[in-house]
Amino acid sequence: MQGIGPFVAPLILGGALFVLTGMNGVSDFFFSLGSGFLVFGLIRLLSNLRMFASFAWGVRFLKRLFMGEARDGRTETEDYARYRANMGGHRDAGTLLMVAGILMGTAALTAFLIKT
């Protein structure tokens, strides 16, 4: 995804968290948005580290096995190596985590300023 695409889903999640949990206040709003960005940033980071590769490949292998489309071991191994090499590549993970930190810092700052 390029442009603002990676920021839409965290905004929707953060807004949903704010509305559905019944929070009120500016600091709660910033914290909810920051939480949405944190969740999506961590998912992208884990994907870059290829943490989901074996699970996703295992599910696909089981599907092929039950459908009678299994191949020999060497072919499966080579296909898995190519699949794992092509996974990840989400360059926006750091940006999403940085935005999460900024939003959560803003939430803490507004909570402090409003109380004093």
PDB file of all heavy atoms in Angstrom, residues 70-93:
ATOM      1  N   ALA A  70      -1.187 -32.506  -3.228  1.00  0.00           N
ATOM      2  CA  ALA A  70       0.133 -32.446  -2.599  1.00  0.00           C
ATOM      3  C   ALA A  70       1.213 -32.837  -3.601  1.00  0.00           C
ATOM      4  O   ALA A  70       1.002 -33.653  -4.491  1.00  0.00           O
ATOM      5  CB  ALA A  70       0.179 -33.370  -1.386  1.00  0.00           C
ATOM      6  N   ARG A  71       2.382 -32.208  -3.427  1.00  0.00           N
ATOM      7  CA  ARG A  71       3.519 -32.483  -4.312  1.00  0.00           C
ATOM      8  C   ARG A  71       4.616 -33.152  -3.492  1.00  0.00           C
ATOM      9  O   ARG A  71       4.479 -33.332  -2.285  1.00  0.00           O
ATOM     10  CB  ARG A  71       4.005 -31.172  -4.922  1.00  0.00           C
ATOM     11  CG  ARG A  71       2.920 -30.520  -5.772  1.00  0.00           C
ATOM     12  CD  ARG A  71       3.304 -29.137  -6.143  1.00  0.00           C
ATOM     13  NE  ARG A  71       3.244 -28.300  -4.933  1.00  0.00           N
ATOM     14  CZ  ARG A  71       3.080 -27.002  -4.929  1.00  0.00           C
ATOM     15  NH1 ARG A  71       2.984 -26.364  -6.052  1.00  0.00           N
ATOM     16  NH2 ARG A  71       3.027 -26.321  -3.818  1.00  0.00           N
ATOM     17  N   ASP A  72       5.727 -33.488  -4.140  1.00  0.00           N
ATOM     18  CA  ASP A  72       6.811 -34.145  -3.409  1.00  0.00           C
ATOM     19  C   ASP A  72       7.489 -33.156  -2.463  1.00  0.00           C
ATOM     20  O   ASP A  72       7.321 -31.938  -2.559  1.00  0.00           O
ATOM     21  CB  ASP A  72       7.824 -34.777  -4.365  1.00  0.00           C
ATOM     22  CG  ASP A  72       8.519 -33.764  -5.262  1.00  0.00           C
ATOM     23  OD1 ASP A  72       8.759 -32.640  -4.806  1.00  0.00           O
ATOM     24  OD2 ASP A  72       8.813 -34.110  -6.415  1.00  0.00           O
ATOM     25  N   GLY A  73       8.273 -33.685  -1.540  1.00  0.00           N
ATOM     26  CA  GLY A  73       8.869 -32.875  -0.485  1.00  0.00           C
ATOM     27  C   GLY A  73       9.814 -31.802  -0.985  1.00  0.00           C
ATOM     28  O   GLY A  73       9.827 -30.687  -0.475  1.00  0.00           O
ATOM     29  N   ARG A  74      10.624 -32.128  -1.986  1.00  0.00           N
ATOM     30  CA  ARG A  74      11.586 -31.153  -2.494  1.00  0.00           C
ATOM     31  C   ARG A  74      10.875 -29.955  -3.123  1.00  0.00           C
ATOM     32  O   ARG A  74      11.257 -28.803  -2.908  1.00  0.00           O
ATOM     33  CB  ARG A  74      12.514 -31.809  -3.507  1.00  0.00           C
ATOM     34  CG  ARG A  74      13.535 -30.852  -4.043  1.00  0.00           C
ATOM     35  CD  ARG A  74      14.535 -31.562  -4.947  1.00  0.00           C
ATOM     36  NE  ARG A  74      15.765 -30.825  -4.938  1.00  0.00           N
ATOM     37  CZ  ARG A  74      16.832 -31.103  -4.222  1.00  0.00           C
ATOM     38  NH1 ARG A  74      16.826 -32.158  -3.438  1.00  0.00           N
ATOM     39  NH2 ARG A  74      17.903 -30.365  -4.287  1.00  0.00           N
ATOM     40  N   THR A  75       9.820 -30.218  -3.894  1.00  0.00           N
ATOM     41  CA  THR A  75       9.057 -29.134  -4.516  1.00  0.00           C
ATOM     42  C   THR A  75       8.404 -28.256  -3.455  1.00  0.00           C
ATOM     43  O   THR A  75       8.434 -27.024  -3.559  1.00  0.00           O
ATOM     44  CB  THR A  75       7.989 -29.705  -5.465  1.00  0.00           C
ATOM     45  OG1 THR A  75       8.612 -30.571  -6.400  1.00  0.00           O
ATOM     46  CG2 THR A  75       7.254 -28.606  -6.195  1.00  0.00           C
ATOM     47  N   GLU A  76       7.827 -28.878  -2.438  1.00  0.00           N
ATOM     48  CA  GLU A  76       7.197 -28.118  -1.354  1.00  0.00           C
ATOM     49  C   GLU A  76       8.231 -27.245  -0.639  1.00  0.00           C
ATOM     50  O   GLU A  76       7.962 -26.089  -0.324  1.00  0.00           O
ATOM     51  CB  GLU A  76       6.527 -29.055  -0.348  1.00  0.00           C
ATOM     52  CG  GLU A  76       5.283 -29.733  -0.854  1.00  0.00           C
ATOM     53  CD  GLU A  76       4.109 -28.792  -1.031  1.00  0.00           C
ATOM     54  OE1 GLU A  76       4.111 -27.668  -0.496  1.00  0.00           O
ATOM     55  OE2 GLU A  76       3.155 -29.195  -1.714  1.00  0.00           O
ATOM     56  N   THR A  77       9.412 -27.792  -0.388  1.00  0.00           N
ATOM     57  CA  THR A  77      10.458 -27.040   0.305  1.00  0.00           C
ATOM     58  C   THR A  77      10.909 -25.838  -0.520  1.00  0.00           C
ATOM     59  O   THR A  77      11.068 -24.733   0.012  1.00  0.00           O
ATOM     60  CB  THR A  77      11.657 -27.959   0.603  1.00  0.00           C
ATOM     61  OG1 THR A  77      11.202 -29.061   1.381  1.00  0.00           O
ATOM     62  CG2 THR A  77      12.742 -27.223   1.366  1.00  0.00           C
ATOM     63  N   GLU A  78      11.110 -26.048  -1.810  1.00  0.00           N
ATOM     64  CA  GLU A  78      11.534 -24.948  -2.668  1.00  0.00           C
ATOM     65  C   GLU A  78      10.445 -23.883  -2.786  1.00  0.00           C
ATOM     66  O   GLU A  78      10.740 -22.688  -2.771  1.00  0.00           O
ATOM     67  CB  GLU A  78      11.921 -25.484  -4.049  1.00  0.00           C
ATOM     68  CG  GLU A  78      13.185 -26.316  -4.022  1.00  0.00           C
ATOM     69  CD  GLU A  78      13.430 -27.060  -5.319  1.00  0.00           C
ATOM     70  OE1 GLU A  78      12.547 -27.031  -6.216  1.00  0.00           O
ATOM     71  OE2 GLU A  78      14.495 -27.680  -5.432  1.00  0.00           O
ATOM     72  N   ASP A  79       9.190 -24.327  -2.882  1.00  0.00           N
ATOM     73  CA  ASP A  79       8.090 -23.367  -2.947  1.00  0.00           C
ATOM     74  C   ASP A  79       7.976 -22.564  -1.652  1.00  0.00           C
ATOM     75  O   ASP A  79       7.712 -21.364  -1.680  1.00  0.00           O
ATOM     76  CB  ASP A  79       6.767 -24.083  -3.223  1.00  0.00           C
ATOM     77  CG  ASP A  79       6.650 -24.571  -4.649  1.00  0.00           C
ATOM     78  OD1 ASP A  79       7.472 -24.144  -5.494  1.00  0.00           O
ATOM     79  OD2 ASP A  79       5.742 -25.385  -4.925  1.00  0.00           O
ATOM     80  N   TYR A  80       8.177 -23.219  -0.504  1.00  0.00           N
ATOM     81  CA  TYR A  80       8.128 -22.518   0.778  1.00  0.00           C
ATOM     82  C   TYR A  80       9.249 -21.486   0.879  1.00  0.00           C
ATOM     83  O   TYR A  80       9.035 -20.362   1.356  1.00  0.00           O
ATOM     84  CB  TYR A  80       8.216 -23.498   1.947  1.00  0.00           C
ATOM     85  CG  TYR A  80       8.306 -22.812   3.284  1.00  0.00           C
ATOM     86  CD1 TYR A  80       7.203 -22.137   3.802  1.00  0.00           C
ATOM     87  CD2 TYR A  80       9.480 -22.791   4.013  1.00  0.00           C
ATOM     88  CE1 TYR A  80       7.275 -21.478   5.015  1.00  0.00           C
ATOM     89  CE2 TYR A  80       9.560 -22.139   5.223  1.00  0.00           C
ATOM     90  CZ  TYR A  80       8.460 -21.491   5.726  1.00  0.00           C
ATOM     91  OH  TYR A  80       8.539 -20.830   6.925  1.00  0.00           O
ATOM     92  N   ALA A  81      10.444 -21.855   0.413  1.00  0.00           N
ATOM     93  CA  ALA A  81      11.576 -20.923   0.460  1.00  0.00           C
ATOM     94  C   ALA A  81      11.285 -19.682  -0.391  1.00  0.00           C
ATOM     95  O   ALA A  81      11.574 -18.551   0.025  1.00  0.00           O
ATOM     96  CB  ALA A  81      12.847 -21.614  -0.017  1.00  0.00           C
ATOM     97  N   ARG A  82      10.705 -19.877  -1.574  1.00  0.00           N
ATOM     98  CA  ARG A  82      10.342 -18.726  -2.420  1.00  0.00           C
ATOM     99  C   ARG A  82       9.241 -17.890  -1.755  1.00  0.00           C
ATOM    100  O   ARG A  82       9.277 -16.663  -1.762  1.00  0.00           O
ATOM    101  CB  ARG A  82       9.876 -19.203  -3.793  1.00  0.00           C
ATOM    102  CG  ARG A  82      10.997 -19.469  -4.758  1.00  0.00           C
ATOM    103  CD  ARG A  82      10.481 -19.649  -6.171  1.00  0.00           C
ATOM    104  NE  ARG A  82       9.565 -20.777  -6.297  1.00  0.00           N
ATOM    105  CZ  ARG A  82       9.954 -22.047  -6.506  1.00  0.00           C
ATOM    106  NH1 ARG A  82      11.226 -22.332  -6.622  1.00  0.00           N
ATOM    107  NH2 ARG A  82       9.069 -23.006  -6.612  1.00  0.00           N
ATOM    108  N   TYR A  83       8.246 -18.572  -1.174  1.00  0.00           N
ATOM    109  CA  TYR A  83       7.148 -17.881  -0.504  1.00  0.00           C
ATOM    110  C   TYR A  83       7.672 -17.035   0.654  1.00  0.00           C
ATOM    111  O   TYR A  83       7.311 -15.868   0.808  1.00  0.00           O
ATOM    112  CB  TYR A  83       6.146 -18.922   0.001  1.00  0.00           C
ATOM    113  CG  TYR A  83       5.048 -18.367   0.859  1.00  0.00           C
ATOM    114  CD1 TYR A  83       3.989 -17.660   0.299  1.00  0.00           C
ATOM    115  CD2 TYR A  83       5.047 -18.559   2.238  1.00  0.00           C
ATOM    116  CE1 TYR A  83       2.966 -17.151   1.082  1.00  0.00           C
ATOM    117  CE2 TYR A  83       4.037 -18.063   3.024  1.00  0.00           C
ATOM    118  CZ  TYR A  83       3.003 -17.364   2.450  1.00  0.00           C
ATOM    119  OH  TYR A  83       2.002 -16.859   3.223  1.00  0.00           O
ATOM    120  N   ARG A  84       8.553 -17.588   1.465  1.00  0.00           N
ATOM    121  CA  ARG A  84       9.084 -16.882   2.624  1.00  0.00           C
ATOM    122  C   ARG A  84       9.951 -15.695   2.196  1.00  0.00           C
ATOM    123  O   ARG A  84       9.927 -14.638   2.826  1.00  0.00           O
ATOM    124  CB  ARG A  84       9.885 -17.837   3.491  1.00  0.00           C
ATOM    125  CG  ARG A  84      10.355 -17.224   4.774  1.00  0.00           C
ATOM    126  CD  ARG A  84      10.938 -18.287   5.681  1.00  0.00           C
ATOM    127  NE  ARG A  84      11.740 -17.710   6.715  1.00  0.00           N
ATOM    128  CZ  ARG A  84      11.293 -17.265   7.871  1.00  0.00           C
ATOM    129  NH1 ARG A  84      10.010 -17.335   8.126  1.00  0.00           N
ATOM    130  NH2 ARG A  84      12.095 -16.756   8.762  1.00  0.00           N
ATOM    131  N   ALA A  85      10.687 -15.855   1.123  1.00  0.00           N
ATOM    132  CA  ALA A  85      11.540 -14.764   0.643  1.00  0.00           C
ATOM    133  C   ALA A  85      10.717 -13.589   0.136  1.00  0.00           C
ATOM    134  O   ALA A  85      11.152 -12.439   0.226  1.00  0.00           O
ATOM    135  CB  ALA A  85      12.453 -15.271  -0.469  1.00  0.00           C
ATOM    136  N   ASN A  86       9.515 -13.855  -0.360  1.00  0.00           N
ATOM    137  CA  ASN A  86       8.668 -12.787  -0.902  1.00  0.00           C
ATOM    138  C   ASN A  86       7.738 -12.173   0.130  1.00  0.00           C
ATOM    139  O   ASN A  86       7.013 -11.240  -0.180  1.00  0.00           O
ATOM    140  CB  ASN A  86       7.839 -13.318  -2.078  1.00  0.00           C
ATOM    141  CG  ASN A  86       8.704 -13.627  -3.273  1.00  0.00           C
ATOM    142  OD1 ASN A  86       9.727 -12.999  -3.491  1.00  0.00           O
ATOM    143  ND2 ASN A  86       8.311 -14.624  -4.041  1.00  0.00           N
ATOM    144  N   MET A  87       7.726 -12.682   1.357  1.00  0.00           N
ATOM    145  CA  MET A  87       6.849 -12.130   2.396  1.00  0.00           C
ATOM    146  C   MET A  87       7.433 -10.857   2.976  1.00  0.00           C
ATOM    147  O   MET A  87       8.623 -10.610   2.904  1.00  0.00           O
ATOM    148  CB  MET A  87       6.667 -13.137   3.533  1.00  0.00           C
ATOM    149  CG  MET A  87       5.536 -14.086   3.317  1.00  0.00           C
ATOM    150  SD  MET A  87       5.134 -14.921   4.838  1.00  0.00           S
ATOM    151  CE  MET A  87       3.971 -13.770   5.527  1.00  0.00           C
ATOM    152  N   GLY A  88       6.580 -10.086   3.622  1.00  0.00           N
ATOM    153  CA  GLY A  88       7.021  -8.876   4.312  1.00  0.00           C
ATOM    154  C   GLY A  88       7.145  -7.709   3.347  1.00  0.00           C
ATOM    155  O   GLY A  88       6.409  -7.587   2.379  1.00  0.00           O
ATOM    156  N   GLY A  89       8.085  -6.866   3.622  1.00  0.00           N
ATOM    157  CA  GLY A  89       8.308  -5.709   2.775  1.00  0.00           C
ATOM    158  C   GLY A  89       7.400  -4.535   3.063  1.00  0.00           C
ATOM    159  O   GLY A  89       7.236  -3.658   2.232  1.00  0.00           O
ATOM    160  N   HIS A  90       6.804  -4.505   4.251  1.00  0.00           N
ATOM    161  CA  HIS A  90       5.944  -3.381   4.619  1.00  0.00           C
ATOM    162  C   HIS A  90       6.823  -2.276   5.200  1.00  0.00           C
ATOM    163  O   HIS A  90       7.228  -2.332   6.346  1.00  0.00           O
ATOM    164  CB  HIS A  90       4.888  -3.809   5.641  1.00  0.00           C
ATOM    165  CG  HIS A  90       4.020  -4.925   5.177  1.00  0.00           C
ATOM    166  ND1 HIS A  90       3.120  -4.783   4.149  1.00  0.00           N
ATOM    167  CD2 HIS A  90       3.921  -6.205   5.587  1.00  0.00           C
ATOM    168  CE1 HIS A  90       2.491  -5.921   3.955  1.00  0.00           C
ATOM    169  NE2 HIS A  90       2.969  -6.808   4.806  1.00  0.00           N
ATOM    170  N   ARG A  91       7.106  -1.294   4.394  1.00  0.00           N
ATOM    171  CA  ARG A  91       7.989  -0.214   4.832  1.00  0.00           C
ATOM    172  C   ARG A  91       7.296   0.770   5.759  1.00  0.00           C
ATOM    173  O   ARG A  91       7.933   1.625   6.353  1.00  0.00           O
ATOM    174  CB  ARG A  91       8.525   0.534   3.620  1.00  0.00           C
ATOM    175  CG  ARG A  91       9.416  -0.336   2.784  1.00  0.00           C
ATOM    176  CD  ARG A  91       9.978   0.416   1.625  1.00  0.00           C
ATOM    177  NE  ARG A  91      10.837  -0.465   0.862  1.00  0.00           N
ATOM    178  CZ  ARG A  91      11.278  -0.197  -0.330  1.00  0.00           C
ATOM    179  NH1 ARG A  91      10.957   0.929  -0.916  1.00  0.00           N
ATOM    180  NH2 ARG A  91      12.061  -1.049  -0.948  1.00  0.00           N
ATOM    181  N   ASP A  92       5.994   0.648   5.903  1.00  0.00           N
ATOM    182  CA  ASP A  92       5.250   1.599   6.717  1.00  0.00           C
ATOM    183  C   ASP A  92       5.161   1.185   8.178  1.00  0.00           C
ATOM    184  O   ASP A  92       4.576   1.899   8.977  1.00  0.00           O
ATOM    185  CB  ASP A  92       3.847   1.784   6.143  1.00  0.00           C
ATOM    186  CG  ASP A  92       3.093   0.479   6.007  1.00  0.00           C
ATOM    187  OD1 ASP A  92       3.666  -0.586   6.297  1.00  0.00           O
ATOM    188  OD2 ASP A  92       1.927   0.526   5.592  1.00  0.00           O
ATOM    189  N   ALA A  93       5.750   0.058   8.572  1.00  0.00           N
ATOM    190  CA  ALA A  93       5.643  -0.410   9.955  1.00  0.00           C
ATOM    191  C   ALA A  93       6.242   0.603  10.926  1.00  0.00           C
ATOM    192  O   ALA A  93       5.628   0.934  11.951  1.00  0.00           O
ATOM    193  CB  ALA A  93       6.316  -1.770  10.115  1.00  0.00           C
TER     194      ALA A  93
END
